[in-house]
Amino acid sequence: MKKFLIGLFLLPSFVFAQDCGNYFYLTNNGQVQMKVYDKKGKESGTQTWKITDVKKDGKAVVSTVNASFTDEKGKELTKSSGSYRCENGMLKADVRMSMPQEQMQAYKDAEGQVETVYLEYPAKLTTGQSLNDADFTMNLQMKNGVGTTKVSFKEVNRKVGNKESITTPAGTWEAYIITYDATFRTEIGGIGIPFQLSGKEWFVPQLGIVKTETYNKNGKLIGSSVLSSITK
């Protein structure tokens, strides 16, 4: 399930100079929450992002984002961290922030080295436009002594659809619908278990994602999320 979040804060002047707009992922000390719902529309948890360490990296602006997912009772189930970049208006979102959190719960205590892979969101979008694919792999060492687990996530066939007005508890925007196909796979001892899915994102140019829907391989809705609150 996609759990990318955005907001409406003023950014430092050097961010505007690089045409990076109001991307929330580049707002130092910002925090945002997204409500997550199951296939029946019942609230199943909350995803929280905290943005820190916003700085320049050459011509780009980069940030560190710490994420946590809590269930409907407030119990923390997973936590992770990633990075975001923006250069010349192109937002690059760490693919780790897109991976299905439900499937990642089993690996919350694992350790491993990973290479950062980004999904790209251009500042200017047009209906019918194709966006870059992402292919991410990490090898995790389980603390219980089970051994190494290979986890991979691919997001492909990213297409920009029509633009429409979208309202969430955090506001109303004009957003493009971006569709994609994805595969989440875990592999232990050479045996892999794939999980096929597809999804939609409502993306606001120079802002970010405000809503998501995720479907199984048969096209049935299995979950959704909407931007619910923003604090600074």
Side-chain angles (χ1 to χ4, degrees), residues 11 15-16 18-23 26 61 86-89 206:
L11 304 181
V15 178
F16 286 106
Q18 299 187 68
D19 192 29
C20 287
N22 292 322
Y23 289 127
L26 304 174
V61 180
C86 182
E87 185 173 355
N88 297 323
Q206 295 188 327

Side-chain angles (χ1 to χ4, degrees), residues 13 19 48 63 74 91-93 97 118-119 133 167 174 177 186 204 216 219:
S13 60
D19 192 29
T48 301
S63 66
L91 176 67
K92 296 184 177 182
M97 301 292 96
Y118 293 104
L119 291 166
D133 296 337
T167 298
E174 292 296 314
I177 299 176
T186 60
V204 180
N216 64 18

Side-chain angles (χ1 to χ4, degrees), residues 90-232:
M90 173 73 78
L91 176 67
K92 296 184 177 182
D94 195 327
V95 74
R96 283 176 289 180
M97 301 292 96
S98 302
M99 296 175 68
Q101 295 300 300
E102 293 84 353
Q103 281 69 38
M104 288 302 296
Q105 289 181 31
Y107 311 106
K108 63 180 181 180
D109 296 322
E111 297 178 345
Q113 295 284 329
V114 298
E115 180 180 355
T116 302
V117 176
Y118 293 104
L119 291 166
E120 295 180 352
Y121 295 86
K124 295 182 180 180
L125 298 174
T126 57
T127 298
Q129 181 179 0
S130 296
L131 304 180
N132 77 310
D133 296 337
D135 189 347
F136 173 78
T137 300
M138 59 183 175
N139 293 303
L140 300 176
Q141 184 65 43
M142 307 301 289
K143 291 184 177 181
N144 57 12
V146 172
T148 301
T149 299
K150 182 179 180 180
V151 178
S152 62
F153 181 74
K154 293 183 180 181
E155 189 165 314
V156 300
N157 301 325
R158 299 177 68 223
K159 298 286 186 180
V160 180
N162 293 328
K163 195 174 185 180
E164 69 176 35
S165 178
I166 178 70
T167 298
T168 80
T172 299
W173 302 274
E174 292 296 314
Y176 284 97
I177 299 176
I178 297 175
T179 59
Y180 64 91
D181 296 316
T183 301
F184 179 84
R185 180 184 177 91
T186 60
E187 185 175 313
I188 302 176
I191 301 175
I193 303 173
F195 176 64
Q196 305 288 339
L197 57 90
S198 62
K200 293 181 179 179
E201 306 171 329
W202 280 256
F203 182 84
V204 180
Q206 295 188 327
L207 207 70
I209 294 172
V210 298
K211 179 181 176 181
T212 71
E213 290 181 350
T214 307
Y215 303 84
N216 64 18
K217 63 181 180 180
N218 297 318
K220 294 184 178 181
L221 182 69
I222 58 176
S224 62
S225 62
V226 296
L227 183 66
S228 57
S229 69
I230 304 168
T231 57
K232 186 176 180 180

Side-chain angles (χ1 to χ4, degrees), residues 16-35:
F16 286 106
Q18 299 187 68
D19 192 29
C20 287
N22 292 322
Y23 289 127
F24 179 76
Y25 311 103
L26 304 174
T27 305
N28 208 26
N29 299 319
Q31 177 176 300
V32 69
Q33 291 187 321
M34 206 164 197
K35 292 296 182 182

